[in-house]
mmCIF file of all heavy atoms in Angstrom:
data_model
loop_
_atom_site.group_PDB
_atom_site.id
_atom_site.type_symbol
_atom_site.label_atom_id
_atom_site.label_comp_id
_atom_site.label_asym_id
_atom_site.label_seq_id
_atom_site.Cartn_x
_atom_site.Cartn_y
_atom_site.Cartn_z
ATOM 1 N N ILE A 1 0.846 -1.190 0.000
ATOM 2 C CA ILE A 1 0.001 0.000 0.001
ATOM 3 C C ILE A 1 0.881 1.243 0.002
ATOM 4 O O ILE A 1 1.692 1.449 0.903
ATOM 5 C CB ILE A 1 -0.930 0.023 1.226
ATOM 6 C CG1 ILE A 1 -1.842 -1.202 1.231
ATOM 7 C CG2 ILE A 1 -1.760 1.301 1.250
ATOM 8 C CD1 ILE A 1 -2.716 -1.321 2.458
ATOM 9 N N THR A 2 0.729 2.069 -1.026
ATOM 10 C CA THR A 2 1.402 3.361 -1.087
ATOM 11 C C THR A 2 0.338 4.450 -0.859
ATOM 12 O O THR A 2 -0.866 4.149 -0.803
ATOM 13 C CB THR A 2 2.082 3.594 -2.450
ATOM 14 O OG1 THR A 2 1.100 4.045 -3.392
ATOM 15 C CG2 THR A 2 2.755 2.324 -2.960
ATOM 16 N N PRO A 3 0.714 5.715 -0.737
ATOM 17 C CA PRO A 3 -0.305 6.757 -0.608
ATOM 18 C C PRO A 3 -1.177 6.925 -1.854
ATOM 19 O O PRO A 3 -2.161 7.673 -1.817
ATOM 20 C CB PRO A 3 0.534 8.032 -0.377
ATOM 21 C CG PRO A 3 1.827 7.553 0.181
ATOM 22 C CD PRO A 3 2.081 6.247 -0.510
ATOM 23 N N TYR A 4 -0.836 6.209 -2.944
ATOM 24 C CA TYR A 4 -1.520 6.423 -4.217
ATOM 25 C C TYR A 4 -2.174 5.173 -4.799
ATOM 26 O O TYR A 4 -3.115 5.274 -5.595
ATOM 27 C CB TYR A 4 -0.532 6.975 -5.246
ATOM 28 C CG TYR A 4 0.344 8.074 -4.686
ATOM 29 C CD1 TYR A 4 1.664 7.826 -4.329
ATOM 30 C CD2 TYR A 4 -0.171 9.356 -4.470
ATOM 31 C CE1 TYR A 4 2.464 8.835 -3.796
ATOM 32 C CE2 TYR A 4 0.618 10.363 -3.936
ATOM 33 C CZ TYR A 4 1.937 10.094 -3.597
ATOM 34 O OH TYR A 4 2.722 11.084 -3.059
ATOM 35 N N ARG A 5 -1.670 3.995 -4.419
ATOM 36 C CA ARG A 5 -2.164 2.783 -5.073
ATOM 37 C C ARG A 5 -1.750 1.553 -4.273
ATOM 38 O O ARG A 5 -1.067 1.652 -3.243
ATOM 39 C CB ARG A 5 -1.581 2.673 -6.483
ATOM 40 C CG ARG A 5 -0.054 2.628 -6.519
ATOM 41 C CD ARG A 5 0.495 2.484 -7.920
ATOM 42 N NE ARG A 5 1.939 2.527 -7.959
ATOM 43 C CZ ARG A 5 2.695 1.836 -8.799
ATOM 44 N NH1 ARG A 5 2.133 1.013 -9.677
ATOM 45 N NH2 ARG A 5 4.011 1.963 -8.792
ATOM 46 N N ILE A 6 -2.160 0.384 -4.784
ATOM 47 C CA ILE A 6 -1.764 -0.907 -4.209
ATOM 48 C C ILE A 6 -0.977 -1.657 -5.267
ATOM 49 O O ILE A 6 -1.420 -1.796 -6.414
ATOM 50 C CB ILE A 6 -2.995 -1.719 -3.772
ATOM 51 C CG1 ILE A 6 -3.738 -0.978 -2.654
ATOM 52 C CG2 ILE A 6 -2.577 -3.116 -3.314
ATOM 53 C CD1 ILE A 6 -5.055 -1.601 -2.279
ATOM 54 N N ILE A 7 0.216 -2.126 -4.897
ATOM 55 C CA ILE A 7 1.096 -2.834 -5.827
ATOM 56 C C ILE A 7 1.085 -4.313 -5.452
ATOM 57 O O ILE A 7 1.522 -4.694 -4.349
ATOM 58 C CB ILE A 7 2.535 -2.287 -5.773
ATOM 59 C CG1 ILE A 7 2.544 -0.775 -6.031
ATOM 60 C CG2 ILE A 7 3.414 -2.999 -6.790
ATOM 61 C CD1 ILE A 7 3.901 -0.128 -5.850
ATOM 62 N N ASP A 8 0.604 -5.162 -6.341
ATOM 63 C CA ASP A 8 0.511 -6.588 -6.067
ATOM 64 C C ASP A 8 1.859 -7.286 -6.210
ATOM 65 O O ASP A 8 2.774 -6.793 -6.877
ATOM 66 C CB ASP A 8 -0.499 -7.240 -7.020
ATOM 67 C CG ASP A 8 -1.925 -6.813 -6.731
ATOM 68 O OD1 ASP A 8 -2.242 -6.543 -5.555
ATOM 69 O OD2 ASP A 8 -2.732 -6.740 -7.686
ATOM 70 N N SER A 9 1.959 -8.440 -5.569
ATOM 71 C CA SER A 9 3.144 -9.326 -5.679
ATOM 72 C C SER A 9 4.440 -8.554 -5.467
ATOM 73 O O SER A 9 5.363 -8.606 -6.285
ATOM 74 C CB SER A 9 3.152 -10.005 -7.055
ATOM 75 O OG SER A 9 1.955 -10.728 -7.257
ATOM 76 N N CYS A 10 4.513 -7.864 -4.350
ATOM 77 C CA CYS A 10 5.654 -6.999 -4.084
ATOM 78 C C CYS A 10 6.542 -7.602 -2.992
ATOM 79 O O CYS A 10 6.078 -8.337 -2.113
ATOM 80 C CB CYS A 10 5.155 -5.632 -3.637
ATOM 81 S SG CYS A 10 6.327 -4.301 -3.933
ATOM 82 N N SER A 11 7.826 -7.289 -3.076
ATOM 83 C CA SER A 11 8.788 -7.700 -2.053
ATOM 84 C C SER A 11 9.461 -6.461 -1.461
ATOM 85 O O SER A 11 9.709 -5.481 -2.175
ATOM 86 C CB SER A 11 9.854 -8.625 -2.637
ATOM 87 O OG SER A 11 9.277 -9.832 -3.098
ATOM 88 N N ILE A 12 9.773 -6.530 -0.172
ATOM 89 C CA ILE A 12 10.460 -5.430 0.519
ATOM 90 C C ILE A 12 11.656 -6.015 1.271
ATOM 91 O O ILE A 12 11.500 -6.955 2.050
ATOM 92 C CB ILE A 12 9.543 -4.712 1.519
ATOM 93 C CG1 ILE A 12 8.346 -4.090 0.800
ATOM 94 C CG2 ILE A 12 10.304 -3.642 2.282
ATOM 95 C CD1 ILE A 12 7.376 -3.416 1.736
ATOM 96 N N MET A 13 12.820 -5.449 1.029
ATOM 97 C CA MET A 13 14.015 -5.840 1.767
ATOM 98 C C MET A 13 14.268 -4.823 2.875
ATOM 99 O O MET A 13 14.256 -3.612 2.642
ATOM 100 C CB MET A 13 15.235 -5.901 0.846
ATOM 101 C CG MET A 13 16.546 -6.223 1.557
ATOM 102 S SD MET A 13 16.613 -7.937 2.158
ATOM 103 C CE MET A 13 17.014 -8.779 0.606
ATOM 104 N N ILE A 14 14.488 -5.360 4.077
ATOM 105 C CA ILE A 14 14.822 -4.535 5.237
ATOM 106 C C ILE A 14 16.230 -4.916 5.687
ATOM 107 O O ILE A 14 16.506 -6.088 5.940
ATOM 108 C CB ILE A 14 13.822 -4.760 6.384
ATOM 109 C CG1 ILE A 14 12.419 -4.334 5.960
ATOM 110 C CG2 ILE A 14 14.261 -4.016 7.638
ATOM 111 C CD1 ILE A 14 11.322 -4.772 6.910
ATOM 112 N N GLU A 15 17.105 -3.928 5.744
ATOM 113 C CA GLU A 15 18.455 -4.164 6.238
ATOM 114 C C GLU A 15 18.658 -3.272 7.451
ATOM 115 O O GLU A 15 18.564 -2.053 7.361
ATOM 116 C CB GLU A 15 19.482 -3.871 5.152
ATOM 117 C CG GLU A 15 19.324 -4.772 3.920
ATOM 118 C CD GLU A 15 20.428 -4.570 2.904
ATOM 119 O OE1 GLU A 15 21.597 -4.427 3.316
ATOM 120 O OE2 GLU A 15 20.119 -4.552 1.698
ATOM 121 N N ALA A 16 18.939 -3.936 8.594
ATOM 122 C CA ALA A 16 19.009 -3.242 9.877
ATOM 123 C C ALA A 16 17.673 -2.550 10.124
ATOM 124 O O ALA A 16 16.648 -3.196 10.240
ATOM 125 C CB ALA A 16 20.179 -2.288 9.934
ATOM 126 N N SER A 17 17.632 -1.226 10.136
ATOM 127 C CA SER A 17 16.398 -0.511 10.474
ATOM 128 C C SER A 17 15.770 0.205 9.286
ATOM 129 O O SER A 17 14.795 0.943 9.462
ATOM 130 C CB SER A 17 16.688 0.507 11.575
ATOM 131 O OG SER A 17 17.609 1.485 11.103
ATOM 132 N N LYS A 18 16.293 -0.022 8.066
ATOM 133 C CA LYS A 18 15.832 0.742 6.915
ATOM 134 C C LYS A 18 15.291 -0.150 5.803
ATOM 135 O O LYS A 18 15.660 -1.324 5.678
ATOM 136 C CB LYS A 18 16.986 1.591 6.350
ATOM 137 C CG LYS A 18 17.612 2.559 7.349
ATOM 138 C CD LYS A 18 16.650 3.636 7.798
ATOM 139 C CE LYS A 18 17.321 4.617 8.756
ATOM 140 N NZ LYS A 18 16.371 5.665 9.227
ATOM 141 N N ILE A 19 14.436 0.449 4.971
ATOM 142 C CA ILE A 19 13.952 -0.214 3.765
ATOM 143 C C ILE A 19 14.961 0.035 2.660
ATOM 144 O O ILE A 19 15.284 1.190 2.344
ATOM 145 C CB ILE A 19 12.567 0.342 3.364
ATOM 146 C CG1 ILE A 19 11.532 0.042 4.441
ATOM 147 C CG2 ILE A 19 12.126 -0.228 2.011
ATOM 148 C CD1 ILE A 19 10.205 0.739 4.231
ATOM 149 N N THR A 20 15.470 -1.031 2.072
ATOM 150 C CA THR A 20 16.529 -0.879 1.074
ATOM 151 C C THR A 20 16.112 -1.287 -0.341
ATOM 152 O O THR A 20 16.722 -0.856 -1.307
ATOM 153 C CB THR A 20 17.777 -1.680 1.471
ATOM 154 O OG1 THR A 20 17.428 -3.066 1.628
ATOM 155 C CG2 THR A 20 18.362 -1.153 2.789
ATOM 156 N N VAL A 21 15.105 -2.150 -0.449
ATOM 157 C CA VAL A 21 14.641 -2.582 -1.771
ATOM 158 C C VAL A 21 13.130 -2.721 -1.741
ATOM 159 O O VAL A 21 12.560 -3.258 -0.779
ATOM 160 C CB VAL A 21 15.263 -3.929 -2.198
ATOM 161 C CG1 VAL A 21 14.714 -4.355 -3.569
ATOM 162 C CG2 VAL A 21 16.779 -3.858 -2.245
ATOM 163 N N ILE A 22 12.473 -2.227 -2.788
ATOM 164 C CA ILE A 22 11.052 -2.482 -3.030
ATOM 165 C C ILE A 22 10.940 -2.884 -4.490
ATOM 166 O O ILE A 22 11.322 -2.132 -5.385
ATOM 167 C CB ILE A 22 10.179 -1.243 -2.751
ATOM 168 C CG1 ILE A 22 10.304 -0.801 -1.291
ATOM 169 C CG2 ILE A 22 8.721 -1.523 -3.106
ATOM 170 C CD1 ILE A 22 9.579 0.492 -0.977
ATOM 171 N N THR A 23 10.411 -4.079 -4.743
ATOM 172 C CA THR A 23 10.423 -4.580 -6.118
ATOM 173 C C THR A 23 9.318 -5.597 -6.340
ATOM 174 O O THR A 23 8.850 -6.235 -5.383
ATOM 175 C CB THR A 23 11.776 -5.213 -6.465
ATOM 176 O OG1 THR A 23 11.781 -5.627 -7.830
ATOM 177 C CG2 THR A 23 12.068 -6.403 -5.575
ATOM 178 N N GLN A 24 8.917 -5.755 -7.592
ATOM 179 C CA GLN A 24 8.029 -6.846 -7.991
ATOM 180 C C GLN A 24 8.832 -7.998 -8.611
ATOM 181 O O GLN A 24 8.251 -9.023 -8.975
ATOM 182 C CB GLN A 24 6.974 -6.342 -8.977
ATOM 183 C CG GLN A 24 5.927 -5.448 -8.340
ATOM 184 C CD GLN A 24 4.899 -4.959 -9.342
ATOM 185 O OE1 GLN A 24 5.208 -4.130 -10.198
ATOM 186 N NE2 GLN A 24 3.666 -5.456 -9.248
ATOM 187 N N ASP A 25 10.146 -7.801 -8.701
ATOM 188 C CA ASP A 25 11.005 -8.858 -9.238
ATOM 189 C C ASP A 25 11.268 -9.910 -8.169
ATOM 190 O O ASP A 25 11.183 -9.651 -6.962
ATOM 191 C CB ASP A 25 12.333 -8.265 -9.707
ATOM 192 C CG ASP A 25 12.160 -7.300 -10.867
ATOM 193 O OD1 ASP A 25 11.155 -7.437 -11.600
ATOM 194 O OD2 ASP A 25 13.007 -6.391 -11.012
ATOM 195 N N LYS A 26 11.638 -11.106 -8.599
ATOM 196 C CA LYS A 26 11.988 -12.172 -7.677
ATOM 197 C C LYS A 26 13.296 -11.826 -6.992
ATOM 198 O O LYS A 26 14.253 -11.384 -7.630
ATOM 199 C CB LYS A 26 12.119 -13.506 -8.439
ATOM 200 C CG LYS A 26 12.355 -14.701 -7.538
ATOM 201 C CD LYS A 26 12.327 -15.979 -8.342
ATOM 202 C CE LYS A 26 12.602 -17.206 -7.467
ATOM 203 N NZ LYS A 26 11.586 -17.361 -6.403
ATOM 204 N N MET A 27 13.358 -12.031 -5.679
ATOM 205 C CA MET A 27 14.523 -11.657 -4.886
ATOM 206 C C MET A 27 15.290 -12.894 -4.421
ATOM 207 O O MET A 27 14.712 -13.956 -4.171
ATOM 208 C CB MET A 27 14.086 -10.857 -3.660
ATOM 209 C CG MET A 27 13.488 -9.499 -3.971
ATOM 210 S SD MET A 27 14.757 -8.280 -4.359
ATOM 211 C CE MET A 27 15.572 -8.119 -2.775
ATOM 212 N N ASP A 28 16.598 -12.734 -4.299
ATOM 213 C CA ASP A 28 17.449 -13.771 -3.713
ATOM 214 C C ASP A 28 17.201 -13.776 -2.210
ATOM 215 O O ASP A 28 17.372 -12.761 -1.532
ATOM 216 C CB ASP A 28 18.915 -13.456 -4.015
ATOM 217 C CG ASP A 28 19.860 -14.496 -3.428
ATOM 218 O OD1 ASP A 28 19.382 -15.510 -2.899
ATOM 219 O OD2 ASP A 28 21.083 -14.256 -3.477
ATOM 220 N N THR A 29 16.795 -14.912 -1.661
ATOM 221 C CA THR A 29 16.452 -15.007 -0.242
ATOM 222 C C THR A 29 17.598 -15.479 0.636
ATOM 223 O O THR A 29 17.439 -15.579 1.850
ATOM 224 C CB THR A 29 15.252 -15.949 -0.051
ATOM 225 O OG1 THR A 29 15.624 -17.266 -0.494
ATOM 226 C CG2 THR A 29 14.039 -15.464 -0.832
ATOM 227 N N SER A 30 18.741 -15.765 0.042
ATOM 228 C CA SER A 30 19.851 -16.284 0.851
ATOM 229 C C SER A 30 20.316 -15.225 1.849
ATOM 230 O O SER A 30 20.446 -14.049 1.529
ATOM 231 C CB SER A 30 21.014 -16.692 -0.053
ATOM 232 O OG SER A 30 21.471 -15.596 -0.821
ATOM 233 N N GLY A 31 20.537 -15.677 3.085
ATOM 234 C CA GLY A 31 20.999 -14.776 4.134
ATOM 235 C C GLY A 31 19.920 -13.880 4.711
ATOM 236 O O GLY A 31 20.224 -12.955 5.479
ATOM 237 N N CYS A 32 18.667 -14.161 4.365
ATOM 238 C CA CYS A 32 17.561 -13.320 4.846
ATOM 239 C C CYS A 32 16.591 -14.116 5.699
ATOM 240 O O CYS A 32 16.392 -15.320 5.482
ATOM 241 C CB CYS A 32 16.762 -12.738 3.672
ATOM 242 S SG CYS A 32 17.692 -11.718 2.534
ATOM 243 N N ARG A 33 15.995 -13.437 6.652
ATOM 244 C CA ARG A 33 14.801 -13.984 7.284
ATOM 245 C C ARG A 33 13.634 -13.609 6.376
ATOM 246 O O ARG A 33 13.414 -12.437 6.060
ATOM 247 C CB ARG A 33 14.580 -13.394 8.677
ATOM 248 C CG ARG A 33 13.268 -13.860 9.292
ATOM 249 C CD ARG A 33 13.145 -13.538 10.746
ATOM 250 N NE ARG A 33 11.892 -14.029 11.279
ATOM 251 C CZ ARG A 33 11.570 -14.049 12.571
ATOM 252 N NH1 ARG A 33 12.428 -13.575 13.451
ATOM 253 N NH2 ARG A 33 10.403 -14.507 12.978
ATOM 254 N N VAL A 34 12.875 -14.609 5.945
ATOM 255 C CA VAL A 34 11.813 -14.387 4.972
ATOM 256 C C VAL A 34 10.448 -14.414 5.672
ATOM 257 O O VAL A 34 10.150 -15.333 6.439
ATOM 258 C CB VAL A 34 11.841 -15.435 3.848
ATOM 259 C CG1 VAL A 34 10.688 -15.211 2.874
ATOM 260 C CG2 VAL A 34 13.185 -15.382 3.115
ATOM 261 N N ILE A 35 9.660 -13.399 5.402
ATOM 262 C CA ILE A 35 8.272 -13.369 5.867
ATOM 263 C C ILE A 35 7.386 -13.418 4.637
ATOM 264 O O ILE A 35 7.425 -12.518 3.789
ATOM 265 C CB ILE A 35 7.972 -12.090 6.678
ATOM 266 C CG1 ILE A 35 8.813 -12.043 7.951
ATOM 267 C CG2 ILE A 35 6.483 -12.019 7.028
ATOM 268 C CD1 ILE A 35 8.624 -10.776 8.759
ATOM 269 N N ASP A 36 6.614 -14.493 4.508
ATOM 270 C CA ASP A 36 5.679 -14.626 3.387
ATOM 271 C C ASP A 36 4.376 -13.933 3.763
ATOM 272 O O ASP A 36 3.651 -14.390 4.662
ATOM 273 C CB ASP A 36 5.439 -16.108 3.107
ATOM 274 C CG ASP A 36 4.562 -16.323 1.869
ATOM 275 O OD1 ASP A 36 4.006 -15.335 1.339
ATOM 276 O OD2 ASP A 36 4.427 -17.494 1.446
ATOM 277 N N ALA A 37 4.077 -12.839 3.094
ATOM 278 C CA ALA A 37 2.866 -12.085 3.409
ATOM 279 C C ALA A 37 1.589 -12.774 2.943
ATOM 280 O O ALA A 37 0.492 -12.327 3.295
ATOM 281 C CB ALA A 37 2.953 -10.688 2.793
ATOM 282 N N GLN A 38 1.733 -13.844 2.171
ATOM 283 C CA GLN A 38 0.605 -14.695 1.778
ATOM 284 C C GLN A 38 -0.509 -13.913 1.063
ATOM 285 O O GLN A 38 -1.695 -14.220 1.170
ATOM 286 C CB GLN A 38 0.028 -15.402 3.013
ATOM 287 C CG GLN A 38 1.034 -16.263 3.741
ATOM 288 C CD GLN A 38 0.494 -16.887 5.013
ATOM 289 O OE1 GLN A 38 -0.723 -17.051 5.166
ATOM 290 N NE2 GLN A 38 1.384 -17.229 5.940
ATOM 291 N N GLY A 39 -0.101 -12.888 0.329
ATOM 292 C CA GLY A 39 -1.091 -12.117 -0.405
ATOM 293 C C GLY A 39 -1.817 -11.074 0.415
ATOM 294 O O GLY A 39 -2.717 -10.381 -0.094
#
């Protein structure tokens, strides 16, 4: 959810305390704790 629209099938990368990546592309999950938002 953005202030303007809803973007489906999105991924967000969080590193330490900040948002570093927002994408609809497939992300490499190695070295990450993954939370599946399940739609």
Side-chain angles (χ1 to χ4, degrees):
I1 300 176
T2 82
Y4 316 103
R5 59 178 176 145
I6 296 172
I7 305 173
D8 291 329
S9 303
C10 204
S11 297
I12 299 178
M13 177 70 79
I14 297 168
E15 299 186 41
S17 63
K18 302 295 182 181
I19 297 171
T20 58
V21 178
I22 299 174
T23 183
Q24 288 180 289
D25 296 335
K26 186 174 178 61
M27 293 282 293
D28 180 6
T29 62
S30 59
C32 300
R33 174 168 182 171
V34 178
I35 297 177
D36 185 351
Q38 301 176 23

